[in-house]
Amino acid sequence: AIAPYDGLEMAELTSHSDLALYAAKHGGRGQFRFYSADLKSEAEERRLVDEDLRAALLADELELHYQPVVRADDHVVIGFEALARWQHPERGAVGPNVFIPIAEESNLINELGEWALRRACADATQWPETVRIAVNISARQFTNPAFVGIVADALAESGLAPERLELELTESIFMGDSEETDETF
């Protein structure tokens, strides 16, 4: 952010510099960004989505959709992958490509992930015992010290057999604190 174009006061320049830094970090390694007014509107939009997502979780407005996993040999459904979906009352369908990164940034991903895990386990108990459920787990969830207890509670509360639950982990889990990751495994 450059004075006087992007502001005159220190607080305003600092705020605009933070927005540019945030945009550069999301652009990938080795990048820089200058402040522009569109960065401010992007930040405001992220804040609004974050607030709406928090409200949606409290009001139980999110849904899980289930994508079948089919065995190639005989075309038998052997499981389902749980996919979070959000139908916003004003915005319409908000894609996971929009709300998941915002949940990650605001640390709301732990609450969202726990909701998805509990709901998926409960729903899976209504399916044949040969069908598994896969739930995506973020790196932040996995490194949460309460994660193992959350999984155990979700299984116990639902009555789902542990071997029917698959936790789908992203590669980013292995790029964090290896001691913490090893302990969770």
Side-chain angles (χ1 to χ4, degrees), residues 14-185:
T14 302
S15 171
H16 291 169
S17 294
D18 283 344
L19 290 173
L21 175 64
Y22 179 83
K25 285 182 177 181
H26 280 277
R29 290 179 167 250
Q31 292 199 11
F32 67 92
R33 291 284 300 267
F34 286 98
Y35 171 78
S36 63
D38 65 319
L39 295 179
K40 192 170 189 174
S41 61
E42 287 174 22
E44 178 63 13
E45 179 64 16
R46 281 192 311 274
R47 187 188 64 75
L48 292 172
V49 170
D50 178 68
E51 287 176 4
D52 287 352
L53 183 57
R54 289 176 191 281
L57 272 167
L58 288 172
D60 199 27
E61 294 175 353
L62 295 171
E63 299 176 348
L64 282 184
H65 291 199
Y66 295 101
Q67 180 174 303
V69 176
V70 179
R71 190 170 45 219
D73 294 347
D74 55 8
H75 308 289
V76 170
V77 173
I78 58 170
F80 290 94
E81 180 180 3
L83 304 170
R85 296 294 181 257
W86 181 20
Q87 186 69 29
H88 190 281
E90 295 163 12
R91 298 172 185 262
V94 180
N97 60 320
V98 173
F99 71 86
I100 298 293
I102 291 171
E104 286 273 356
E105 292 164 15
S106 67
N107 213 21
L108 190 59
I109 196 67
N110 284 314
E111 189 176 336
L112 176 62
E114 182 175 348
W115 166 83
L117 181 64
R118 289 180 187 282
R119 175 70 51 90
C121 287
D123 289 351
T125 62
Q126 305 304 309
W127 306 338
E129 291 184 14
T130 57
V131 177
R132 299 169 62 96
I133 182 65
V135 179
N136 293 307
I137 303 298
S138 77
R140 283 195 182 209
Q141 284 177 268
F142 194 76
T143 57
N144 177 353
F147 177 70
V148 173
I150 290 168
V151 173
D153 288 348
L155 289 168
E157 287 173 12
S158 66
L160 185 71
E163 61 273 9
R164 292 183 59 202
L165 175 63
E166 292 181 13
L167 302 177
E168 293 197 357
L169 310 175
T170 62
E171 299 82 26
S172 62
I173 289 172
F174 301 102
M175 295 179 175
D177 180 353
S178 61
E179 190 174 305
E180 205 172 56
T181 301
D182 289 346
E183 187 177 322
T184 302
F185 270 119

